[in-house]
Amino acid sequence: VAWVTVLLVFGWGRACGGWALGFASAAVLTLTGDFCYRGPMVTPNGLLGLLTTAGLACGHLAVRSGRGRTGWWAVSALATGFAVLTKGPVG
C-alpha cells in the first residue's frame, strides 16, 4: 500500500507541475522517517493514508480542472468514503 501511495503522490505532482515536481514529491514522501517506519506494517493506517491522499489529490484536480469535471469529484468522494470505512471519522 505504501508504494501505491508513492505512485499516487508522483502522479499528483506530475499533473500539477511536471515530472520534476512529481519526482521530488515522491522522493520526499519516500524519505520521510515515519513513512519508512510504518510503511511495511500491516495496519489500516497505510490504507487510510492512501485513500485520504487519493481523496485530496482527486479533489484538487477537480478544482484545478474547472467546471464540468464531475469524474474527479466522484473519485474523490469514493476515496473519502472508503477512508471513513477503513478507520472511522478520521478519514
Side-chain angles (χ1 to χ4, degrees), residues 3-71:
W3 290 112
V4 177
T5 307
V6 170
L7 289 174
L8 177 70
V9 168
F10 172 74
W12 185 12
R14 191 173 58 98
C16 291
W19 191 88
L21 179 65
F23 182 77
S25 302
V28 167
L29 177 63
T30 304
L31 296 174
T32 303
D34 191 52
F35 187 79
C36 291
Y37 174 70
R38 297 183 194 273
M41 292 182 182
V42 182
T43 62
N45 293 336
L47 185 59
L48 174 69
L50 170 65
L51 292 170
T52 303
T53 304
L56 288 170
C58 293
H60 180 251
L61 291 175
V63 169
R64 276 185 54 140
S65 65
R67 296 182 146 245
R69 294 297 226 158
T70 57

